[in-house]
């Protein structure tokens, strides 16, 4: 990870982080690559400084005081009553109902689609805009919050990506949802509550465990956060060329070359999530799909069974 990438994760400018590096004896520039020892030293220094109010004041938080109770974050592309094309939206709503019934706090993160803006736009609270890395460029995410039935809904807005007639089916779907994944990870620390676990759903949000593993490994907010990947439909897995890693996800191609994201001669984003999530869960539909010949021929069945068997042991 380079200095400017680390700085972005902690809400700093490269200049601020370079100054901190020099203060603790790490001689670097904004483009310098940090090794494992330097990353660990910086993370400890920044976290310790935050505890004693000694570090540079960075971007203000939306909520100044964090609640002690840990919260579940549920990241999904559909959720009733806001949007739903089928079972995914219903499942997300059922998860929300059960989580609140169990006495847990819940944040559900959704893209702010055109239909959501039209129906709920005037009832949302705008929080802030954040720059989000998309490959080597940046796009702006507008964060909105709506509390309904004891659930906090976090909506990620960007007119270019989400103000469209349909939810899925565009040539840039990988870019749209990669942006959404990164925006959620950037936004959660500003909501003023600790997160114990992040649930993600299907390939559209399976990039979150991957990005956490690669880019947010030393981010203090995510140090103890576990991830669960729910697989609802194995028909869609997010198959793309290897160029998607540096050009869209903003991570090195080495994660294709070392096999973490690769299946055959392509990137498989669902496989990436399976490999990097703390655990995975299948529903009845995906469990039955797992038995199909094409799932074994593609290799995804072996990846899933390997993950399940590893956790079981």
């Amino acid at each position: 990870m380079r200095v400017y990438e680390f700085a972005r994760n902690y809400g700093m400018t490269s200049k601020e982080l370079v100054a901190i590096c020099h203060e603790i004896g790490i001689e670097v520039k904004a483009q310098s690559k940090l090794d494992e020892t330097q990353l660990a030293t910086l993370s400890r220094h920044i976290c310790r400084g935050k505890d004693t109010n000694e570090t540079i004041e960075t971007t203000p938080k939306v909520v100044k005081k964090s609640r002690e109770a840990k919260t579940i974050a549920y990241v999904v592309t559909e959720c009733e009553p806001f949007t739903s094309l089928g079972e995914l939206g219903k499942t997300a709503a059922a998860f929300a109902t059960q989580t609140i019934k169990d006495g847990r706090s819940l944040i559900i993160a959704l893209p702010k689609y055109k239909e959501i803006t039209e129906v709920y736009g005037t009832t949302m609270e705008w929080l802030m805009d954040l720059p989000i890395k998309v490959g080597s460029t940046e796009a702006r995410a507008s964060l909105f919050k709506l509390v309904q039935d004891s659930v906090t809904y976090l909506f990620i807005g960007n007119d270019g990506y989400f103000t469209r007639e349909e939810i899925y089916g565009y040539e840039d779907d990988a870019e749209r949802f990669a942006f959404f994944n990164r925006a959620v990870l950037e936004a959660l620390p500003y909501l003023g509550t600790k997160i114990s676990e992040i649930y993600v759903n299907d390939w559209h949000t399976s990039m979150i465990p991957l990005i956490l593993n690669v880019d947010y490994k030393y981010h203090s907010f995510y140090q103890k956060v576990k991830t669960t990947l729910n697989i609802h439909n194995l028909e869609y897995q997010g198959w793309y060329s290897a160029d998607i890693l540096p050009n869209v996800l903003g991570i090195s191609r080495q994660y294709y070359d070392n096999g973490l994201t690769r299946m055959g001669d392509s990137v498989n984003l669902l496989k990436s999530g399976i490999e990097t999530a703390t655990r995975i869960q299948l529903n009845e539909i995906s469990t039955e799909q797992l038995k199909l010949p094409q799932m074994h021929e593609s290799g995804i069945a072996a990846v899933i069974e390997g993950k399940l068997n590893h956790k079981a042991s």
Side-chain angles (χ1 to χ4, degrees):
M1 180 182 293
R2 300 193 183 278
V3 169
Y4 68 88
E5 294 174 322
F6 187 96
R8 184 185 292 119
N9 287 348
Y10 282 88
M12 299 181 185
T13 65
S14 298
K15 184 177 180 180
E16 289 171 338
L17 186 59
V18 167
I20 291 175
C21 287
H22 291 172
E23 178 186 331
I24 61 177
I26 301 175
E27 294 300 322
V28 292
K29 298 180 180 179
Q31 297 294 330
S32 298
K33 189 173 183 179
L34 296 164
D35 61 31
E36 294 289 328
T37 300
Q38 291 170 331
L39 286 167
T41 300
L42 269 174
S43 295
R44 287 195 300 269
H45 178 81
I46 291 173
C47 293
R48 184 169 60 249
K50 285 182 177 179
D51 291 339
T52 57
N53 294 320
E54 292 176 353
T55 55
I56 298 169
E57 186 68 25
T58 60
T59 308
K61 294 178 175 59
V62 174
V63 181
K64 293 183 179 179
K65 186 176 180 180
S66 297
R67 298 197 302 272
E68 290 300 318
K70 292 184 179 179
T71 300
I72 294 172
Y74 192 86
V75 186
V76 68
T77 54
E78 301 174 39
C79 182
E80 293 184 348
F82 303 100
T83 186
S84 180
L85 297 179
E87 289 303 314
L88 180 58
K90 292 179 172 61
T91 299
F95 180 88
T97 300
Q98 187 61 50
T99 301
I100 298 303
K101 184 178 179 181
D102 291 342
R104 302 293 302 273
S105 296
L106 178 65
I107 296 169
I108 295 184
L110 284 161
K112 188 170 174 279
Y113 302 117
K114 179 181 178 182
E115 63 184 76
I116 294 177
T117 301
E118 291 172 347
V119 178
Y120 297 94
T122 58
T123 62
M124 297 178 186
E125 174 190 358
W126 174 81
L127 300 179
M128 63 174 66
D129 286 355
L130 290 175
I132 305 300
K133 181 169 72 171
V134 181
S136 60
T137 63
E138 287 185 347
R140 187 156 297 274
S142 297
L143 313 183
F144 295 84
K145 184 176 78 171
L146 176 63
V147 179
Q148 184 168 292
D149 298 328
S150 300
V151 177
T152 297
Y153 292 93
L154 171 67
F155 296 98
I156 305 298
N158 178 285
D159 289 345
Y161 288 134
F162 302 126
T163 305
R164 303 186 184 186
E165 295 302 319
E166 306 294 337
I167 293 177
Y168 312 114
Y170 296 96
E171 290 185 0
D172 63 344
D173 274 359
E175 181 176 332
R176 297 169 65 226
F177 292 112
F179 166 83
F180 173 61
N181 283 225
R182 276 198 178 271
V184 170
L185 291 176
E186 287 292 314
L188 287 176
Y190 293 103
L191 294 183
T193 185
K194 295 179 180 179
I195 301 294
S196 59
E197 187 165 7
I198 301 175
Y199 285 76
V200 299
N201 297 272
D202 286 341
W203 79 262
H204 307 88
T205 54
S206 66
M207 291 168 271
I208 280 182
L210 173 63
I211 296 170
L212 275 175
N213 184 272
V214 172
D215 273 357
Y216 290 76
K217 186 183 298 185
Y218 299 101
H219 194 303
S220 58
F221 184 82
Y222 292 109
Q223 287 300 297
K224 297 182 180 180
V225 174
K226 299 181 183 301
T227 52
T228 295
L229 169 58
N230 296 318
I231 302 175
H232 305 271
N233 191 341
L234 280 170
E235 184 179 351
Y236 306 103
Q237 298 176 24
W239 293 88
Y240 292 95
S241 70
D243 291 341
I244 192 178
L245 298 183
N247 295 344
V248 176
L249 273 68
I251 65 176
S252 171
R253 186 191 162 99
Q254 75 181 59
Y255 298 104
Y256 172 83
D257 296 332
N258 68 14
L260 183 65
T261 66
R262 185 178 70 233
M263 183 168 286
D265 58 358
S266 300
V267 164
N268 183 302
L269 292 175
L270 183 64
K271 187 235 184 183
S272 306
I274 294 168
E275 296 282 19
T276 52
T278 308
R279 63 173 180 153
I280 63 172
Q281 296 183 151
L282 281 70
N283 63 6
E284 291 183 8
I285 294 174
S286 55
T287 299
E288 287 302 311
Q289 290 174 325
L290 197 60
K291 302 173 185 177
L292 297 174
Q294 59 265 37
M295 299 303 169
H296 291 270
E297 292 166 4
S298 71
I300 195 69
V303 173
I304 291 173
E305 290 164 359
K307 182 77 170 188
L308 293 174
N309 291 337
H310 173 72
K311 288 303 175 183
S313 62

